Amino acid sequence: MYQKTDELVERVSATESAVSKLNADMTSVKEVTAEVTRWKLMGLGALGVTGMAAAALASLITAYWTDIWRVLRGG
Protein backbone atom coordinates (compact mmCIF):
# COMPACT_ATOMS: atom_id res chain seq x y z
CA MET A 1 0.00 0.00 0.00
CA TYR A 2 2.85 2.40 0.80
CA GLN A 3 4.41 1.62 -2.57
CA LYS A 4 1.17 2.56 -4.35
CA THR A 5 0.96 5.77 -2.30
CA ASP A 6 4.55 6.65 -3.22
CA GLU A 7 3.80 6.03 -6.90
CA LEU A 8 0.73 8.23 -6.65
CA VAL A 9 2.77 11.00 -4.99
CA GLU A 10 5.35 10.81 -7.79
CA ARG A 11 2.66 10.95 -10.46
CA VAL A 12 0.97 13.93 -8.80
CA SER A 13 4.34 15.67 -8.51
CA ALA A 14 5.07 15.06 -12.19
CA THR A 15 1.60 16.35 -13.10
CA GLU A 16 2.09 19.51 -11.05
CA SER A 17 5.44 20.09 -12.73
CA ALA A 18 3.90 19.69 -16.19
CA VAL A 19 1.03 22.04 -15.31
CA SER A 20 3.42 24.72 -14.04
CA LYS A 21 5.43 24.48 -17.29
CA LEU A 22 2.21 24.72 -19.27
CA ASN A 23 1.15 27.79 -17.30
CA ALA A 24 4.50 29.45 -18.02
CA ASP A 25 4.12 28.67 -21.73
CA MET A 26 0.57 29.98 -21.78
CA THR A 27 1.71 33.25 -20.23
CA SER A 28 4.08 33.85 -23.14
CA VAL A 29 1.40 32.78 -25.62
CA LYS A 30 -1.05 35.27 -24.08
CA GLU A 31 1.51 38.07 -24.47
CA VAL A 32 2.02 37.25 -28.15
CA THR A 33 -1.72 36.97 -28.74
CA ALA A 34 -2.29 40.38 -27.15
CA GLU A 35 0.42 41.92 -29.32
CA VAL A 36 -1.00 40.41 -32.52
CA THR A 37 -4.47 41.63 -31.55
CA ARG A 38 -3.05 45.13 -31.06
CA TRP A 39 -1.39 44.97 -34.50
CA LYS A 40 -4.67 43.85 -36.03
CA LEU A 41 -6.55 46.73 -34.45
CA MET A 42 -3.93 49.22 -35.61
CA GLY A 43 -4.05 47.78 -39.12
CA LEU A 44 -7.80 48.08 -39.30
CA GLY A 45 -7.54 51.68 -38.11
CA ALA A 46 -4.98 52.47 -40.81
CA LEU A 47 -7.21 50.82 -43.41
CA GLY A 48 -10.15 52.95 -42.31
CA VAL A 49 -8.11 56.16 -42.50
CA THR A 50 -6.88 55.18 -45.96
CA GLY A 51 -10.46 54.58 -47.05
CA MET A 52 -11.58 57.97 -45.80
CA ALA A 53 -8.69 59.68 -47.57
CA ALA A 54 -9.55 57.88 -50.81
CA ALA A 55 -13.20 58.92 -50.46
CA ALA A 56 -12.18 62.56 -49.93
CA LEU A 57 -9.89 62.46 -52.96
CA ALA A 58 -12.62 60.88 -55.10
CA SER A 59 -15.07 63.59 -53.99
CA LEU A 60 -12.63 66.32 -54.99
CA ILE A 61 -11.99 64.74 -58.37
CA THR A 62 -15.72 64.37 -58.96
CA ALA A 63 -16.44 67.97 -57.93
CA TYR A 64 -13.73 69.49 -60.12
CA TRP A 65 -13.77 66.96 -62.97
CA THR A 66 -14.70 69.48 -65.67
CA ASP A 67 -11.83 71.76 -64.66
CA ILE A 68 -9.38 68.86 -64.44
CA TRP A 69 -10.48 67.57 -67.84
CA ARG A 70 -10.10 71.02 -69.39
CA VAL A 71 -6.54 71.37 -68.02
CA LEU A 72 -5.58 67.89 -69.21
CA ARG A 73 -6.91 68.61 -72.73
CA GLY A 74 -4.95 71.85 -72.83
CA GLY A 75 -7.95 74.09 -73.08
Side-chain angles (χ1 to χ4, degrees):
M1 184 164 151
Y2 291 115
Q3 184 180 2
K4 292 280 187 182
T5 305
D6 289 341
E7 287 176 12
L8 185 60
V9 168
E10 288 176 11
R11 289 178 63 190
V12 168
S13 175
T15 303
E16 287 177 345
S17 175
V19 168
S20 70
K21 283 183 180 180
L22 183 61
N23 281 338
D25 290 344
M26 288 306 293
T27 301
S28 64
V29 167
K30 286 179 184 179
E31 291 172 2
V32 171
T33 303
E35 187 172 355
V36 169
T37 302
R38 184 175 55 85
W39 290 347
K40 182 180 174 185
L41 291 173
M42 287 172 43
L44 290 175
L47 183 62
V49 169
T50 304
M52 286 187 283
L57 182 61
S59 295
L60 280 173
I61 290 173
T62 302
Y64 295 103
W65 179 247
T66 56
D67 297 332
I68 294 170
W69 186 248
R70 190 178 324 123
V71 169
L72 289 175
R73 291 187 66 186

mmCIF file of all heavy atoms in Angstrom, residues 14-59:
data_model
loop_
_atom_site.group_PDB
_atom_site.id
_atom_site.type_symbol
_atom_site.label_atom_id
_atom_site.label_comp_id
_atom_site.label_asym_id
_atom_site.label_seq_id
_atom_site.Cartn_x
_atom_site.Cartn_y
_atom_site.Cartn_z
ATOM 1 N N ALA A 14 4.761 14.891 -10.771
ATOM 2 C CA ALA A 14 5.067 15.063 -12.191
ATOM 3 C C ALA A 14 3.972 15.861 -12.882
ATOM 4 O O ALA A 14 4.250 16.726 -13.727
ATOM 5 C CB ALA A 14 5.233 13.698 -12.862
ATOM 6 N N THR A 15 2.722 15.606 -12.514
ATOM 7 C CA THR A 15 1.602 16.347 -13.103
ATOM 8 C C THR A 15 1.670 17.820 -12.731
ATOM 9 O O THR A 15 1.462 18.705 -13.578
ATOM 10 C CB THR A 15 0.264 15.739 -12.651
ATOM 11 O OG1 THR A 15 0.228 14.361 -13.006
ATOM 12 C CG2 THR A 15 -0.903 16.451 -13.283
ATOM 13 N N GLU A 16 1.968 18.114 -11.476
ATOM 14 C CA GLU A 16 2.091 19.509 -11.048
ATOM 15 C C GLU A 16 3.218 20.214 -11.786
ATOM 16 O O GLU A 16 3.089 21.375 -12.175
ATOM 17 C CB GLU A 16 2.321 19.585 -9.540
ATOM 18 C CG GLU A 16 1.103 19.272 -8.715
ATOM 19 C CD GLU A 16 1.391 19.277 -7.219
ATOM 20 O OE1 GLU A 16 2.580 19.243 -6.836
ATOM 21 O OE2 GLU A 16 0.418 19.319 -6.452
ATOM 22 N N SER A 17 4.316 19.515 -11.998
ATOM 23 C CA SER A 17 5.441 20.090 -12.731
ATOM 24 C C SER A 17 5.043 20.402 -14.173
ATOM 25 O O SER A 17 5.351 21.481 -14.696
ATOM 26 C CB SER A 17 6.616 19.120 -12.711
ATOM 27 O OG SER A 17 7.672 19.602 -13.511
ATOM 28 N N ALA A 18 4.338 19.471 -14.804
ATOM 29 C CA ALA A 18 3.900 19.687 -16.190
ATOM 30 C C ALA A 18 2.917 20.848 -16.276
ATOM 31 O O ALA A 18 2.977 21.664 -17.204
ATOM 32 C CB ALA A 18 3.273 18.408 -16.741
ATOM 33 N N VAL A 19 2.016 20.957 -15.308
ATOM 34 C CA VAL A 19 1.035 22.038 -15.307
ATOM 35 C C VAL A 19 1.724 23.386 -15.111
ATOM 36 O O VAL A 19 1.365 24.370 -15.752
ATOM 37 C CB VAL A 19 -0.048 21.794 -14.231
ATOM 38 C CG1 VAL A 19 -0.891 23.031 -14.007
ATOM 39 C CG2 VAL A 19 -0.924 20.623 -14.630
ATOM 40 N N SER A 20 2.725 23.446 -14.246
ATOM 41 C CA SER A 20 3.424 24.717 -14.042
ATOM 42 C C SER A 20 4.182 25.132 -15.304
ATOM 43 O O SER A 20 4.211 26.315 -15.658
ATOM 44 C CB SER A 20 4.367 24.636 -12.846
ATOM 45 O OG SER A 20 5.465 23.802 -13.123
ATOM 46 N N LYS A 21 4.778 24.165 -16.020
ATOM 47 C CA LYS A 21 5.430 24.482 -17.289
ATOM 48 C C LYS A 21 4.414 24.977 -18.310
ATOM 49 O O LYS A 21 4.663 25.926 -19.050
ATOM 50 C CB LYS A 21 6.146 23.252 -17.852
ATOM 51 C CG LYS A 21 7.450 22.925 -17.198
ATOM 52 C CD LYS A 21 8.102 21.744 -17.874
ATOM 53 C CE LYS A 21 9.421 21.395 -17.247
ATOM 54 N NZ LYS A 21 10.068 20.247 -17.906
ATOM 55 N N LEU A 22 3.264 24.319 -18.341
ATOM 56 C CA LEU A 22 2.213 24.718 -19.270
ATOM 57 C C LEU A 22 1.721 26.127 -18.954
ATOM 58 O O LEU A 22 1.491 26.923 -19.867
ATOM 59 C CB LEU A 22 1.052 23.723 -19.203
ATOM 60 C CG LEU A 22 -0.112 23.945 -20.159
ATOM 61 C CD1 LEU A 22 0.366 23.864 -21.599
ATOM 62 C CD2 LEU A 22 -1.197 22.935 -19.903
ATOM 63 N N ASN A 23 1.571 26.446 -17.692
ATOM 64 C CA ASN A 23 1.147 27.795 -17.298
ATOM 65 C C ASN A 23 2.166 28.840 -17.739
ATOM 66 O O ASN A 23 1.799 29.916 -18.205
ATOM 67 C CB ASN A 23 0.921 27.878 -15.795
ATOM 68 C CG ASN A 23 -0.401 27.282 -15.378
ATOM 69 O OD1 ASN A 23 -1.315 27.174 -16.170
ATOM 70 N ND2 ASN A 23 -0.499 26.885 -14.121
ATOM 71 N N ALA A 24 3.447 28.522 -17.597
ATOM 72 C CA ALA A 24 4.496 29.449 -18.024
ATOM 73 C C ALA A 24 4.433 29.655 -19.543
ATOM 74 O O ALA A 24 4.561 30.776 -20.036
ATOM 75 C CB ALA A 24 5.864 28.933 -17.618
ATOM 76 N N ASP A 25 4.237 28.567 -20.277
ATOM 77 C CA ASP A 25 4.123 28.673 -21.734
ATOM 78 C C ASP A 25 2.893 29.480 -22.127
ATOM 79 O O ASP A 25 2.937 30.295 -23.049
ATOM 80 C CB ASP A 25 4.055 27.288 -22.378
ATOM 81 C CG ASP A 25 5.384 26.538 -22.304
ATOM 82 O OD1 ASP A 25 6.415 27.187 -22.035
ATOM 83 O OD2 ASP A 25 5.379 25.309 -22.504
ATOM 84 N N MET A 26 1.800 29.263 -21.451
ATOM 85 C CA MET A 26 0.567 29.977 -21.778
ATOM 86 C C MET A 26 0.695 31.469 -21.501
ATOM 87 O O MET A 26 0.100 32.293 -22.213
ATOM 88 C CB MET A 26 -0.619 29.395 -20.999
ATOM 89 C CG MET A 26 -1.044 28.028 -21.490
ATOM 90 S SD MET A 26 -1.390 27.967 -23.256
ATOM 91 C CE MET A 26 -2.820 28.998 -23.351
ATOM 92 N N THR A 27 1.483 31.842 -20.512
ATOM 93 C CA THR A 27 1.710 33.255 -20.229
ATOM 94 C C THR A 27 2.381 33.924 -21.418
ATOM 95 O O THR A 27 1.967 35.005 -21.844
ATOM 96 C CB THR A 27 2.565 33.422 -18.961
ATOM 97 O OG1 THR A 27 1.889 32.812 -17.867
ATOM 98 C CG2 THR A 27 2.810 34.884 -18.652
ATOM 99 N N SER A 28 3.407 33.276 -21.972
ATOM 100 C CA SER A 28 4.081 33.855 -23.136
ATOM 101 C C SER A 28 3.168 33.855 -24.355
ATOM 102 O O SER A 28 3.196 34.780 -25.162
ATOM 103 C CB SER A 28 5.386 33.115 -23.430
ATOM 104 O OG SER A 28 5.125 31.771 -23.788
ATOM 105 N N VAL A 29 2.332 32.835 -24.494
ATOM 106 C CA VAL A 29 1.395 32.782 -25.618
ATOM 107 C C VAL A 29 0.376 33.919 -25.494
ATOM 108 O O VAL A 29 0.034 34.564 -26.491
ATOM 109 C CB VAL A 29 0.691 31.409 -25.682
ATOM 110 C CG1 VAL A 29 -0.487 31.430 -26.629
ATOM 111 C CG2 VAL A 29 1.677 30.324 -26.087
ATOM 112 N N LYS A 30 -0.090 34.183 -24.284
ATOM 113 C CA LYS A 30 -1.050 35.267 -24.083
ATOM 114 C C LYS A 30 -0.440 36.616 -24.447
ATOM 115 O O LYS A 30 -1.113 37.472 -25.022
ATOM 116 C CB LYS A 30 -1.542 35.285 -22.634
ATOM 117 C CG LYS A 30 -2.512 34.172 -22.309
ATOM 118 C CD LYS A 30 -2.948 34.240 -20.862
ATOM 119 C CE LYS A 30 -3.852 33.079 -20.504
ATOM 120 N NZ LYS A 30 -4.253 33.124 -19.098
ATOM 121 N N GLU A 31 0.839 36.818 -24.128
ATOM 122 C CA GLU A 31 1.507 38.069 -24.475
ATOM 123 C C GLU A 31 1.567 38.247 -25.985
ATOM 124 O O GLU A 31 1.282 39.325 -26.512
ATOM 125 C CB GLU A 31 2.918 38.094 -23.891
ATOM 126 C CG GLU A 31 2.970 38.190 -22.375
ATOM 127 C CD GLU A 31 4.374 38.010 -21.825
ATOM 128 O OE1 GLU A 31 5.321 37.846 -22.625
ATOM 129 O OE2 GLU A 31 4.520 38.040 -20.598
ATOM 130 N N VAL A 32 1.928 37.184 -26.689
ATOM 131 C CA VAL A 32 2.020 37.248 -28.153
ATOM 132 C C VAL A 32 0.641 37.488 -28.753
ATOM 133 O O VAL A 32 0.475 38.292 -29.676
ATOM 134 C CB VAL A 32 2.661 35.960 -28.709
ATOM 135 C CG1 VAL A 32 2.553 35.911 -30.224
ATOM 136 C CG2 VAL A 32 4.108 35.856 -28.276
ATOM 137 N N THR A 33 -0.359 36.804 -28.232
ATOM 138 C CA THR A 33 -1.720 36.973 -28.741
ATOM 139 C C THR A 33 -2.200 38.410 -28.551
ATOM 140 O O THR A 33 -2.814 38.992 -29.448
ATOM 141 C CB THR A 33 -2.677 35.997 -28.032
ATOM 142 O OG1 THR A 33 -2.205 34.670 -28.231
ATOM 143 C CG2 THR A 33 -4.078 36.108 -28.565
ATOM 144 N N ALA A 34 -1.902 38.993 -27.397
ATOM 145 C CA ALA A 34 -2.293 40.382 -27.148
ATOM 146 C C ALA A 34 -1.591 41.324 -28.120
ATOM 147 O O ALA A 34 -2.203 42.274 -28.635
ATOM 148 C CB ALA A 34 -1.975 40.768 -25.709
ATOM 149 N N GLU A 35 -0.324 41.059 -28.402
ATOM 150 C CA GLU A 35 0.416 41.916 -29.323
ATOM 151 C C GLU A 35 -0.141 41.805 -30.743
ATOM 152 O O GLU A 35 -0.317 42.819 -31.433
ATOM 153 C CB GLU A 35 1.896 41.543 -29.311
ATOM 154 C CG GLU A 35 2.762 42.474 -30.111
ATOM 155 C CD GLU A 35 4.238 42.196 -29.936
ATOM 156 O OE1 GLU A 35 4.597 41.335 -29.121
ATOM 157 O OE2 GLU A 35 5.027 42.834 -30.638
ATOM 158 N N VAL A 36 -0.438 40.604 -31.175
ATOM 159 C CA VAL A 36 -0.997 40.414 -32.519
ATOM 160 C C VAL A 36 -2.370 41.071 -32.624
ATOM 161 O O VAL A 36 -2.701 41.683 -33.645
ATOM 162 C CB VAL A 36 -1.060 38.909 -32.872
ATOM 163 C CG1 VAL A 36 -1.864 38.670 -34.133
ATOM 164 C CG2 VAL A 36 0.339 38.347 -33.035
ATOM 165 N N THR A 37 -3.157 40.976 -31.569
ATOM 166 C CA THR A 37 -4.466 41.633 -31.555
ATOM 167 C C THR A 37 -4.300 43.144 -31.680
ATOM 168 O O THR A 37 -5.040 43.804 -32.414
ATOM 169 C CB THR A 37 -5.224 41.281 -30.268
ATOM 170 O OG1 THR A 37 -5.364 39.866 -30.193
ATOM 171 C CG2 THR A 37 -6.593 41.920 -30.238
ATOM 172 N N ARG A 38 -3.320 43.692 -30.985
ATOM 173 C CA ARG A 38 -3.053 45.134 -31.062
ATOM 174 C C ARG A 38 -2.647 45.514 -32.486
ATOM 175 O O ARG A 38 -3.112 46.513 -33.028
ATOM 176 C CB ARG A 38 -1.958 45.517 -30.076
ATOM 177 C CG ARG A 38 -1.677 47.005 -29.999
ATOM 178 C CD ARG A 38 -0.658 47.332 -28.916
ATOM 179 N NE ARG A 38 0.585 46.605 -29.067
ATOM 180 C CZ ARG A 38 1.598 46.996 -29.849
ATOM 181 N NH1 ARG A 38 1.505 48.097 -30.542
ATOM 182 N NH2 ARG A 38 2.709 46.278 -29.932
ATOM 183 N N TRP A 39 -1.790 44.702 -33.121
ATOM 184 C CA TRP A 39 -1.387 44.968 -34.501
ATOM 185 C C TRP A 39 -2.601 44.947 -35.418
ATOM 186 O O TRP A 39 -2.726 45.771 -36.316
ATOM 187 C CB TRP A 39 -0.402 43.936 -34.990
ATOM 188 C CG TRP A 39 0.955 43.989 -34.368
ATOM 189 C CD1 TRP A 39 1.490 44.985 -33.599
ATOM 190 C CD2 TRP A 39 1.953 42.985 -34.464
ATOM 191 N NE1 TRP A 39 2.749 44.654 -33.210
ATOM 192 C CE2 TRP A 39 3.070 43.439 -33.726
ATOM 193 C CE3 TRP A 39 2.018 41.763 -35.082
ATOM 194 C CZ2 TRP A 39 4.226 42.692 -33.624
ATOM 195 C CZ3 TRP A 39 3.173 41.019 -34.980
ATOM 196 C CH2 TRP A 39 4.269 41.485 -34.257
ATOM 197 N N LYS A 40 -3.473 43.976 -35.199
ATOM 198 C CA LYS A 40 -4.668 43.851 -36.034
ATOM 199 C C LYS A 40 -5.547 45.089 -35.896
ATOM 200 O O LYS A 40 -6.031 45.627 -36.888
ATOM 201 C CB LYS A 40 -5.447 42.600 -35.635
ATOM 202 C CG LYS A 40 -6.664 42.352 -36.469
ATOM 203 C CD LYS A 40 -7.373 41.091 -36.011
ATOM 204 C CE LYS A 40 -8.672 40.900 -36.743
ATOM 205 N NZ LYS A 40 -9.429 39.763 -36.238
ATOM 206 N N LEU A 41 -5.743 45.541 -34.665
ATOM 207 C CA LEU A 41 -6.555 46.734 -34.451
ATOM 208 C C LEU A 41 -5.922 47.963 -35.090
ATOM 209 O O LEU A 41 -6.607 48.791 -35.675
ATOM 210 C CB LEU A 41 -6.779 46.962 -32.961
ATOM 211 C CG LEU A 41 -7.684 45.944 -32.267
ATOM 212 C CD1 LEU A 41 -7.672 46.193 -30.762
ATOM 213 C CD2 LEU A 41 -9.078 46.007 -32.804
ATOM 214 N N MET A 42 -4.626 48.091 -34.995
ATOM 215 C CA MET A 42 -3.934 49.220 -35.607
ATOM 216 C C MET A 42 -4.043 49.144 -37.124
ATOM 217 O O MET A 42 -4.230 50.158 -37.785
ATOM 218 C CB MET A 42 -2.469 49.247 -35.180
ATOM 219 C CG MET A 42 -2.271 49.681 -33.742
ATOM 220 S SD MET A 42 -0.586 49.510 -33.128
ATOM 221 C CE MET A 42 0.412 50.092 -34.448
ATOM 222 N N GLY A 43 -3.948 47.957 -37.672
ATOM 223 C CA GLY A 43 -4.049 47.785 -39.120
ATOM 224 C C GLY A 43 -5.425 48.146 -39.622
ATOM 225 O O GLY A 43 -5.579 48.794 -40.655
ATOM 226 N N LEU A 44 -6.448 47.734 -38.897
ATOM 227 C CA LEU A 44 -7.803 48.076 -39.304
ATOM 228 C C LEU A 44 -8.019 49.576 -39.219
ATOM 229 O O LEU A 44 -8.707 50.164 -40.049
ATOM 230 C CB LEU A 44 -8.821 47.333 -38.441
ATOM 231 C CG LEU A 44 -8.896 45.823 -38.669
ATOM 232 C CD1 LEU A 44 -9.856 45.195 -37.676
ATOM 233 C CD2 LEU A 44 -9.323 45.522 -40.080
ATOM 234 N N GLY A 45 -7.432 50.227 -38.233
ATOM 235 C CA GLY A 45 -7.536 51.675 -38.114
ATOM 236 C C GLY A 45 -6.866 52.373 -39.285
ATOM 237 O O GLY A 45 -7.414 53.314 -39.861
ATOM 238 N N ALA A 46 -5.692 51.885 -39.675
ATOM 239 C CA ALA A 46 -4.983 52.466 -40.814
ATOM 240 C C ALA A 46 -5.774 52.252 -42.093
ATOM 241 O O ALA A 46 -5.841 53.139 -42.949
ATOM 242 C CB ALA A 46 -3.589 51.845 -40.923
ATOM 243 N N LEU A 47 -6.403 51.091 -42.226
ATOM 244 C CA LEU A 47 -7.214 50.818 -43.410
ATOM 245 C C LEU A 47 -8.409 51.758 -43.476
ATOM 246 O O LEU A 47 -8.753 52.268 -44.545
ATOM 247 C CB LEU A 47 -7.683 49.362 -43.387
ATOM 248 C CG LEU A 47 -8.481 48.881 -44.592
ATOM 249 C CD1 LEU A 47 -7.633 48.970 -45.850
ATOM 250 C CD2 LEU A 47 -8.938 47.457 -44.366
ATOM 251 N N GLY A 48 -9.025 52.021 -42.336
ATOM 252 C CA GLY A 48 -10.153 52.948 -42.307
ATOM 253 C C GLY A 48 -9.745 54.357 -42.680
ATOM 254 O O GLY A 48 -10.445 55.044 -43.433
ATOM 255 N N VAL A 49 -8.603 54.811 -42.170
ATOM 256 C CA VAL A 49 -8.113 56.156 -42.496
ATOM 257 C C VAL A 49 -7.786 56.246 -43.980
ATOM 258 O O VAL A 49 -8.098 57.247 -44.644
ATOM 259 C CB VAL A 49 -6.874 56.505 -41.634
ATOM 260 C CG1 VAL A 49 -6.195 57.760 -42.122
ATOM 261 C CG2 VAL A 49 -7.282 56.655 -40.183
ATOM 262 N N THR A 50 -7.189 55.201 -44.528
ATOM 263 C CA THR A 50 -6.885 55.182 -45.957
ATOM 264 C C THR A 50 -8.160 55.255 -46.783
ATOM 265 O O THR A 50 -8.220 55.959 -47.794
ATOM 266 C CB THR A 50 -6.089 53.908 -46.309
ATOM 267 O OG1 THR A 50 -4.923 53.844 -45.491
ATOM 268 C CG2 THR A 50 -5.686 53.885 -47.762
ATOM 269 N N GLY A 51 -9.184 54.543 -46.347
ATOM 270 C CA GLY A 51 -10.465 54.580 -47.052
ATOM 271 C C GLY A 51 -11.099 55.958 -47.028
ATOM 272 O O GLY A 51 -11.643 56.424 -48.031
ATOM 273 N N MET A 52 -11.019 56.611 -45.888
ATOM 274 C CA MET A 52 -11.579 57.969 -45.796
ATOM 275 C C MET A 52 -10.812 58.946 -46.679
ATOM 276 O O MET A 52 -11.409 59.812 -47.329
ATOM 277 C CB MET A 52 -11.580 58.450 -44.345
ATOM 278 C CG MET A 52 -12.647 57.788 -43.492
ATOM 279 S SD MET A 52 -12.779 58.488 -41.850
ATOM 280 C CE MET A 52 -11.374 57.754 -41.040
ATOM 281 N N ALA A 53 -9.496 58.802 -46.719
ATOM 282 C CA ALA A 53 -8.691 59.678 -47.573
ATOM 283 C C ALA A 53 -9.022 59.441 -49.041
ATOM 284 O O ALA A 53 -9.127 60.399 -49.829
ATOM 285 C CB ALA A 53 -7.206 59.445 -47.310
ATOM 286 N N ALA A 54 -9.193 58.198 -49.425
ATOM 287 C CA ALA A 54 -9.549 57.884 -50.812
ATOM 288 C C ALA A 54 -10.927 58.449 -51.156
ATOM 289 O O ALA A 54 -11.134 58.966 -52.265
ATOM 290 C CB ALA A 54 -9.518 56.372 -51.029
ATOM 291 N N ALA A 55 -11.864 58.370 -50.226
ATOM 292 C CA ALA A 55 -13.197 58.924 -50.464
ATOM 293 C C ALA A 55 -13.136 60.437 -50.630
ATOM 294 O O ALA A 55 -13.807 61.006 -51.506
ATOM 295 C CB ALA A 55 -14.125 58.554 -49.316
ATOM 296 N N ALA A 56 -12.321 61.099 -49.813
ATOM 297 C CA ALA A 56 -12.183 62.555 -49.931
ATOM 298 C C ALA A 56 -11.561 62.932 -51.265
ATOM 299 O O ALA A 56 -12.011 63.876 -51.940
ATOM 300 C CB ALA A 56 -11.330 63.088 -48.780
ATOM 301 N N LEU A 57 -10.537 62.195 -51.680
ATOM 302 C CA LEU A 57 -9.893 62.462 -52.961
ATOM 303 C C LEU A 57 -10.867 62.234 -54.116
ATOM 304 O O LEU A 57 -10.934 63.038 -55.058
ATOM 305 C CB LEU A 57 -8.651 61.575 -53.115
ATOM 306 C CG LEU A 57 -7.830 61.772 -54.384
ATOM 307 C CD1 LEU A 57 -7.288 63.205 -54.438
ATOM 308 C CD2 LEU A 57 -6.703 60.765 -54.441
ATOM 309 N N ALA A 58 -11.635 61.162 -54.050
ATOM 310 C CA ALA A 58 -12.622 60.879 -55.098
ATOM 311 C C ALA A 58 -13.683 61.979 -55.148
ATOM 312 O O ALA A 58 -14.121 62.372 -56.242
ATOM 313 C CB ALA A 58 -13.274 59.516 -54.854
ATOM 314 N N SER A 59 -14.085 62.497 -54.017
ATOM 315 C CA SER A 59 -15.070 63.590 -53.987
ATOM 316 C C SER A 59 -14.507 64.840 -54.650
ATOM 317 O O SER A 59 -15.212 65.522 -55.410
ATOM 318 C CB SER A 59 -15.466 63.906 -52.547
ATOM 319 O OG SER A 59 -16.122 62.823 -51.966
#
